Amino acid sequence: AQKITQTQPGMFVQEKEAVTLDCTYDTSDPSYGLFWYKQPSSGEMIFLIYQGSYDQQNATEGRYSLNFQKARKSANLVISASQLGDSAMYFCAMREGHNTDKLIFGTGTRLQVFP
Amino acid sequence: DGGITQSPKYLFRKEGQNVTLSCEQNLNHDAMYWYRQDPGQGLRLIYYSQIVNDFQKGDIAEGYSVSREKKESFPLTVTSAQKNPTAFYLCASNWAAVGNQPQHFGDGTRLSIL
């Protein structure tokens, strides 16, 4: 069974607008962590934001915030004030349990920002 | 500057040939990882190592081998047994068993069959 699901293969957003990228996950372990990465066309993976399962507050990092809805098992990434440089692939990943560093990745969402 | 260096950036393999992808980190990280990425797909774990001289298979280890003789180095060999090696390979590292620490990635190696 797929553990991380990103249902949006592609998204478009106009510059300066906000956009939400969806991520749902499946786990029975009460301890887990959720990560978002950005992959530009050059290929490197850039860490954006982290949310732990026990974190009370939704994570924020600059223009990135995570809409964490534990009961729905969703961890959507919100990018505010989109910039042309935000055009890239975005991957959601989960670390399951507290004794492992292994990540499970979703299939990604390609975001295109237009002027 | 600290980081992860993967080389070469592009690699071509002939039929029946083994090739080795290099991954070096100077971040003093304990754990290192190898991922494979196919077009339009997410990353799949090939092998990982949490300590020198020890490593574990990931989800798609068949046709690959690794070694971890030094903390900073984790080379990946794509053997002739890997029948479909064309992909983008990413190496990553982080401090082992520190839950909120993200994995840091290298710039990747693109492997193609000649």
Side-chain angles (χ1 to χ4, degrees), chain A residues 102-103, chain B residues 33-35 44-49 55-62 64 66 74:
Chain A
K102 291 170 60 177
L103 291 180
Chain B
Y33 311 81
W34 274 107
Y35 293 93
R44 292 184 291 168
L45 184 64
I46 305 173
Y47 269 98
Y48 65 104
S49 167
F55 48 82
Q56 286 77 42
K57 292 181 179 180
D59 300 318
I60 54 165
E62 186 174 347
Y64 300 97
V66 293
F74 191 41

Short mmCIF file of all heavy atoms in Angstrom, two decimals, chain A residues 102-103, chain B residues 33-35 44-49 55-62 64 66 74:
data_model
loop_
_atom_site.label_atom_id
_atom_site.label_comp_id
_atom_site.label_asym_id
_atom_site.label_seq_id
_atom_site.Cartn_x
_atom_site.Cartn_y
_atom_site.Cartn_z
N LYS A 102 14.93 6.13 7.65
CA LYS A 102 14.49 5.87 6.29
C LYS A 102 13.31 6.76 5.93
O LYS A 102 12.41 6.96 6.75
CB LYS A 102 14.08 4.40 6.14
CG LYS A 102 15.23 3.43 6.20
CD LYS A 102 14.74 2.00 6.29
CE LYS A 102 13.92 1.59 5.11
NZ LYS A 102 13.50 0.17 5.18
N LEU A 103 13.34 7.30 4.72
CA LEU A 103 12.25 8.12 4.23
C LEU A 103 11.50 7.40 3.12
O LEU A 103 12.10 6.71 2.30
CB LEU A 103 12.79 9.44 3.68
CG LEU A 103 13.38 10.44 4.67
CD1 LEU A 103 13.85 11.69 3.93
CD2 LEU A 103 12.38 10.80 5.75
N TYR B 33 22.82 7.43 2.42
CA TYR B 33 21.75 6.76 1.69
C TYR B 33 22.00 6.87 0.19
O TYR B 33 22.55 7.87 -0.28
CB TYR B 33 20.39 7.42 1.97
CG TYR B 33 20.09 7.64 3.43
CD1 TYR B 33 20.62 8.73 4.10
CD2 TYR B 33 19.27 6.76 4.12
CE1 TYR B 33 20.35 8.94 5.43
CE2 TYR B 33 19.00 6.97 5.46
CZ TYR B 33 19.54 8.06 6.11
OH TYR B 33 19.27 8.27 7.44
N TRP B 34 21.51 5.86 -0.54
CA TRP B 34 21.46 5.93 -2.00
C TRP B 34 20.03 5.74 -2.45
O TRP B 34 19.34 4.80 -2.03
CB TRP B 34 22.33 4.85 -2.64
CG TRP B 34 23.75 5.26 -2.81
CD1 TRP B 34 24.83 4.84 -2.09
CD2 TRP B 34 24.27 6.18 -3.78
NE1 TRP B 34 25.98 5.43 -2.55
CE2 TRP B 34 25.65 6.26 -3.59
CE3 TRP B 34 23.70 6.94 -4.80
CZ2 TRP B 34 26.48 7.07 -4.37
CZ3 TRP B 34 24.51 7.73 -5.58
CH2 TRP B 34 25.89 7.80 -5.36
N TYR B 35 19.59 6.67 -3.35
CA TYR B 35 18.26 6.61 -3.92
C TYR B 35 18.36 6.54 -5.43
O TYR B 35 19.28 7.07 -6.05
CB TYR B 35 17.45 7.86 -3.58
CG TYR B 35 17.10 8.01 -2.13
CD1 TYR B 35 17.90 8.72 -1.26
CD2 TYR B 35 15.93 7.43 -1.62
CE1 TYR B 35 17.57 8.88 0.07
CE2 TYR B 35 15.58 7.58 -0.29
CZ TYR B 35 16.40 8.31 0.55
OH TYR B 35 16.06 8.45 1.86
N ARG B 44 13.37 6.17 -4.64
CA ARG B 44 13.30 4.84 -4.03
C ARG B 44 14.65 4.49 -3.43
O ARG B 44 15.69 4.68 -4.06
CB ARG B 44 12.88 3.80 -5.07
CG ARG B 44 11.44 3.97 -5.56
CD ARG B 44 11.06 2.85 -6.51
NE ARG B 44 11.77 2.94 -7.79
CZ ARG B 44 11.79 1.97 -8.69
NH1 ARG B 44 11.17 0.82 -8.46
NH2 ARG B 44 12.45 2.14 -9.83
N LEU B 45 14.62 3.95 -2.21
CA LEU B 45 15.84 3.68 -1.46
C LEU B 45 16.52 2.40 -1.95
O LEU B 45 15.89 1.35 -2.01
CB LEU B 45 15.49 3.56 0.03
CG LEU B 45 16.65 3.36 0.99
CD1 LEU B 45 17.58 4.57 0.99
CD2 LEU B 45 16.12 3.11 2.40
N ILE B 46 17.81 2.51 -2.25
CA ILE B 46 18.58 1.36 -2.72
C ILE B 46 19.30 0.71 -1.53
O ILE B 46 19.13 -0.48 -1.26
CB ILE B 46 19.61 1.78 -3.79
CG1 ILE B 46 18.93 2.50 -4.95
CG2 ILE B 46 20.36 0.55 -4.30
CD1 ILE B 46 19.91 3.10 -5.95
N TYR B 47 20.16 1.46 -0.87
CA TYR B 47 20.92 1.00 0.30
C TYR B 47 21.06 2.17 1.26
O TYR B 47 21.01 3.33 0.86
CB TYR B 47 22.33 0.54 -0.11
CG TYR B 47 22.47 -0.92 -0.44
CD1 TYR B 47 22.46 -1.34 -1.76
CD2 TYR B 47 22.64 -1.88 0.56
CE1 TYR B 47 22.60 -2.69 -2.09
CE2 TYR B 47 22.80 -3.23 0.24
CZ TYR B 47 22.77 -3.61 -1.08
OH TYR B 47 22.91 -4.95 -1.40
N TYR B 48 21.28 1.84 2.53
CA TYR B 48 21.62 2.87 3.49
C TYR B 48 22.58 2.32 4.53
O TYR B 48 22.66 1.10 4.73
CB TYR B 48 20.38 3.47 4.15
CG TYR B 48 19.57 2.53 5.01
CD1 TYR B 48 19.64 2.59 6.39
CD2 TYR B 48 18.71 1.59 4.43
CE1 TYR B 48 18.89 1.75 7.18
CE2 TYR B 48 17.96 0.74 5.21
CZ TYR B 48 18.04 0.83 6.58
OH TYR B 48 17.29 -0.03 7.35
N SER B 49 23.28 3.23 5.17
CA SER B 49 24.29 2.86 6.17
C SER B 49 24.20 3.86 7.32
O SER B 49 24.21 5.06 7.10
CB SER B 49 25.68 2.90 5.53
OG SER B 49 26.69 2.84 6.51
N PHE B 55 25.79 -1.73 6.57
CA PHE B 55 24.81 -1.15 5.68
C PHE B 55 23.65 -2.13 5.51
O PHE B 55 23.78 -3.33 5.79
CB PHE B 55 25.42 -0.81 4.31
CG PHE B 55 26.24 -1.91 3.68
CD1 PHE B 55 25.65 -2.95 2.98
CD2 PHE B 55 27.63 -1.91 3.81
CE1 PHE B 55 26.41 -3.95 2.40
CE2 PHE B 55 28.40 -2.90 3.23
CZ PHE B 55 27.79 -3.92 2.54
N GLN B 56 22.51 -1.60 5.11
CA GLN B 56 21.29 -2.40 4.96
C GLN B 56 20.69 -2.18 3.58
O GLN B 56 20.81 -1.09 3.01
CB GLN B 56 20.24 -2.01 6.01
CG GLN B 56 20.53 -2.51 7.41
CD GLN B 56 21.59 -1.68 8.10
OE1 GLN B 56 21.56 -0.47 7.98
NE2 GLN B 56 22.50 -2.33 8.77
N LYS B 57 19.99 -3.20 3.10
CA LYS B 57 19.29 -3.08 1.83
C LYS B 57 18.06 -2.20 2.00
O LYS B 57 17.38 -2.25 3.02
CB LYS B 57 18.85 -4.46 1.34
CG LYS B 57 20.01 -5.37 0.94
CD LYS B 57 19.48 -6.70 0.43
CE LYS B 57 20.64 -7.60 0.00
NZ LYS B 57 20.16 -8.92 -0.50
N GLY B 58 17.81 -1.43 0.95
CA GLY B 58 16.57 -0.69 0.88
C GLY B 58 15.53 -1.47 0.10
O GLY B 58 15.56 -2.70 0.06
N ASP B 59 14.65 -0.74 -0.57
CA ASP B 59 13.54 -1.39 -1.26
C ASP B 59 13.92 -2.00 -2.61
O ASP B 59 13.23 -2.88 -3.11
CB ASP B 59 12.42 -0.37 -1.48
CG ASP B 59 11.91 0.20 -0.15
OD1 ASP B 59 11.75 -0.60 0.79
OD2 ASP B 59 11.70 1.41 -0.07
N ILE B 60 15.00 -1.51 -3.22
CA ILE B 60 15.35 -1.97 -4.57
C ILE B 60 16.84 -2.27 -4.67
O ILE B 60 17.53 -1.80 -5.56
CB ILE B 60 14.93 -0.93 -5.64
CG1 ILE B 60 15.52 0.45 -5.33
CG2 ILE B 60 13.41 -0.83 -5.73
CD1 ILE B 60 15.44 1.41 -6.50
N ALA B 61 17.36 -3.10 -3.78
CA ALA B 61 18.80 -3.35 -3.70
C ALA B 61 19.33 -4.30 -4.77
O ALA B 61 20.55 -4.34 -5.03
CB ALA B 61 19.15 -3.90 -2.32
N GLU B 62 18.48 -5.07 -5.41
CA GLU B 62 18.96 -6.07 -6.36
C GLU B 62 19.70 -5.44 -7.53
O GLU B 62 19.21 -4.50 -8.17
CB GLU B 62 17.78 -6.90 -6.89
CG GLU B 62 18.22 -8.06 -7.76
CD GLU B 62 17.06 -8.96 -8.15
OE1 GLU B 62 15.98 -8.84 -7.57
OE2 GLU B 62 17.26 -9.79 -9.06
N TYR B 64 22.65 -3.96 -7.20
CA TYR B 64 23.50 -2.90 -6.67
C TYR B 64 24.34 -3.44 -5.51
O TYR B 64 23.95 -4.40 -4.85
CB TYR B 64 22.65 -1.74 -6.14
CG TYR B 64 21.77 -1.07 -7.16
CD1 TYR B 64 20.42 -1.42 -7.27
CD2 TYR B 64 22.26 -0.08 -8.00
CE1 TYR B 64 19.60 -0.81 -8.20
CE2 TYR B 64 21.44 0.55 -8.94
CZ TYR B 64 20.11 0.17 -9.03
OH TYR B 64 19.29 0.77 -9.95
N VAL B 66 27.19 -1.82 -2.24
CA VAL B 66 27.78 -0.64 -1.60
C VAL B 66 28.88 -1.08 -0.65
O VAL B 66 29.01 -2.27 -0.32
CB VAL B 66 26.74 0.18 -0.81
CG1 VAL B 66 25.71 0.82 -1.73
CG2 VAL B 66 26.06 -0.68 0.25
N PHE B 74 30.56 6.68 0.66
CA PHE B 74 29.56 5.62 0.51
C PHE B 74 29.36 5.35 -0.98
O PHE B 74 28.35 5.74 -1.57
CB PHE B 74 28.25 6.05 1.18
CG PHE B 74 27.22 4.96 1.35
CD1 PHE B 74 27.57 3.68 1.75
CD2 PHE B 74 25.86 5.23 1.16
CE1 PHE B 74 26.61 2.68 1.94
CE2 PHE B 74 24.90 4.25 1.35
CZ PHE B 74 25.27 2.98 1.74
#
